[in-house]
Amino acid sequence: MKNTKVSSVGERALISILSEIFKAPDGREKGQEGILIGAGSDDCAVLDLKGEDCLVVTTDMLHRTTDFPEEMTPWQMGWMSAAVNLSDIAAMGAEPIGLVMAIGMPADTEIAFVEALAKGMQACAEFCGTTIIGGDLDTHAELTITGTALGRVKKDQLLLRRGARPGDLVCVTGYTGSAGAALEALQSRKPVSETVLNALFEPVPRTKEARMLAESGAVTSMMDTSDGLAMSLYDFSRQSRVGFRVRENALPILVEVRKFASNPDKLREFALYTGGDFELLITIDPQKIKKVQNICNLVVIGECTKYEAGIVLESPECNLITIEQRGYQQLKAEAVDRSS
Amino acid sequence: MKNTKVSSVGERALISILSEIFKAPDGREKGQEGILIGAGSDDCAVLDLKGEDCLVVTTDMLHRTTDFPEEMTPWQMGWMSAAVNLSDIAAMGAEPIGLVMAIGMPADTEIAFVEALAKGMQACAEFCGTTIIGGDLDTHAELTITGTALGRVKKDQLLLRRGARPGDLVCVTGYTGSAGAALEALQSRKPVSETVLNALFEPVPRTKEARMLAESGAVTSMMDTSDGLAMSLYDFSRQSRVGFRVRENALPILVEVRKFASNPDKLREFALYTGGDFELLITIDPQKIKKVQNICNLVVIGECTKYEAGIVLESPECNLITIEQRGYQQLKAEAVDRSS
């Protein structure tokens, strides 16, 4: 690996390399008891709090050039910095209990900008029933915000990426592809509604929905779709050892996004391969589907199959198409290893 | 404040502004119960875990241009990124229970560099009895590392910046001024020993010492000296409403640092006004000093006085000199408000 650049291996491969460094040779995490889920395998790390609860924790670094389109207001940048972390807390079925935010900014940043940023963070935290409890300020050439969120959940309600079984129903909250369409609209300077733009600029963590889903006892696994639906299905598949059959007709897509996509391929691109939607992807025991149907805006998009059946899309004409393993990835790999 | 730049108010003033946004009008933190210490007032935020324990959390953003001199190895950068956070956990008297590390790096970073970085982080975490439990990877123009550390401590052993009382003894662990001397040596290209350089490159979090001090029942307040001894005394003074009289002769300074300083003013500069030492600054009930004397390398440097007496240095000639409120500060203010 000597002289190999990180860009040539991609984010997920690099996570695997680092996770090994953070583990003992026997595969358990080094250093201490009490780690239920360590680095690299779920939306959050999970610590045993000894009693009936566990603590979940996640961190996410955002920065101006890659994460904040120039049309975003500072308030929205603050909102998003909190939201991406609170979405990971939701994905574990946990209740958020606090956020710390490290902010690096150029020395000539205006105070009013920082205040708006902080208000956006706090608004998102409060929307999710929590608050900003600490942070760090730093001068930095490029605006860089690293949020870390903490959550708490009863051990028997913790929802992981593993747990899905063949035969389970696959569901998503909200709509898919809206944030991707918004990004394309910005890049191609085409007009879209505020609803579509806000899917990108002000993603809503599904905190309440996640708690109700966790309490229902019907959910077998859960994660968020921040890197796109396809990427999430692959992450799920790897952890739960299941395949997926997704019905294209069932994908919940805003009418405006359907119209905005100039052709079916483009629409599929938005719905499967673009990130930023921050919805929940859930697998549900089919016997218990009634328990969750009234909880939130939840759509059944397909079902879990055997791992060997792969991850496929059933087109309206009932053709089976392999869903590709691609989407939003930091440190994009030149070639994605589809067998991993 | 409109159009005012962050560089003109300084880090501590900006923390005050943001802390207000993260608080309700009545002064309590918004959003939820269970926050014992919120944003802006101690080394860590503190959450009530409902049982006998509380959770402490801290975050720190480091980046190449300001925090990693070019002589540092990637392993040392990793060590330091973990150490700065673990030092804050120690400063609360807490036992670390996990770290998450967000790493932003240029796409052409070599894998070997990232591996060394990760090994340094893990080595520091293991030294402190914990491990890296999660993180985030990101492409970034400048190497940027945000660590977040979690710790746990019994409520009755939690040590805050408030709690010091007039008459308490003031102590520090280790030596003061070593990291500052190392930085000056690098900048002026003068040779110093590895001991001095490592004070800057591989700061040792005082995890074990902190736990023993917390268990002793003799400590009335504690914080770390990462921003320099003078800055720490001012932070302490504000939170505990005490003054300090520090005896210059009592300051623990390495012989090599004494020699390296070309004159007494320079030595005072190193000992009081340079950051990076990551030692513990402690106030102790004088009745209980025996309980802590054998715990660790602890030196009594002075005593707490009434707040109105200010923060003063007693020179070897018994002159009293006001210790200035300056040291390591991000977002350096042009004028520091000494009355705050």
Side-chain angles (χ1 to χ4, degrees), chain B residues 10-142:
Chain B
E11 182 182 7
R12 276 164 173 72
L14 194 56
I15 288 173
S16 297
I17 293 170
L18 297 190
S19 299
E20 284 309 305
I21 293 173
F22 302 144
K23 275 180 186 168
D26 63 359
R28 286 182 307 113
E29 269 73 21
K30 285 176 191 168
Q32 66 169 129
E33 298 299 302
I35 299 169
L36 300 178
I37 302 287
S41 59
D42 219 300
D43 293 87
C44 289
V46 185
L47 293 175
D48 190 344
L49 284 179
K50 310 295 174 196
E52 63 178 357
D53 287 357
C54 48
L55 181 76
V56 301
V57 55
T58 183
T59 191
D60 215 334
M61 182 184 286
L62 302 181
H63 55 115
R64 191 133 206 178
T65 51
T66 22
D67 299 294
F68 304 135
E70 59 184 51
E71 293 83 357
M72 276 179 95
T73 65
W75 190 94
Q76 287 172 326
M77 294 176 198
W79 174 284
M80 173 173 279
S81 308
V84 296
N85 288 292
L86 289 164
S87 179
D88 281 333
I89 297 295
M92 310 303 285
E95 181 195 355
I97 57 170
L99 277 154
V100 292
M101 305 297 297
I103 308 172
M105 62 197 136
D108 66 354
T109 304
E110 288 180 6
I111 301 279
F113 181 99
V114 190
E115 286 178 324
L117 201 64
K119 284 175 185 168
M121 292 172 181
Q122 180 67 20
C124 185
E126 281 184 52
F127 175 85
C128 297
T130 187
T131 190
I132 314 293
I133 57 171
D136 183 37
L137 295 173
D138 196 18
T139 41
H140 204 302
E142 183 185 344

Side-chain angles (χ1 to χ4, degrees), chain A residues 4-7 30 32 39 60-61 63 97 107-109 111 126 130 133 136 138-140 144 146 148 330, chain B residues 4-7 30 32 39 60-61 63 97 107-109 111 126 130 133 136 138-140 144 146 148 330:
Chain A
T4 309
K5 311 288 186 191
V6 295
S7 56
K30 284 176 194 168
Q32 68 169 128
D60 214 335
M61 182 184 285
H63 55 116
I97 58 170
D108 66 353
T109 303
I111 301 278
E126 280 183 53
T130 187
I133 57 171
D136 183 38
D138 195 17
T139 42
H140 203 300
T144 305
T146 307
T148 303
Q330 288 290 344
Chain B
T4 309
K5 312 289 186 190
V6 294
S7 55
K30 285 176 191 168
Q32 66 169 129
D60 215 334
M61 182 184 286
H63 55 115
I97 57 170
D108 66 354
T109 304
I111 301 279
E126 281 184 52
T130 187
I133 57 171
D136 183 37
D138 196 18
T139 41
H140 204 302
T144 305
T146 308
T148 304
Q330 287 290 343

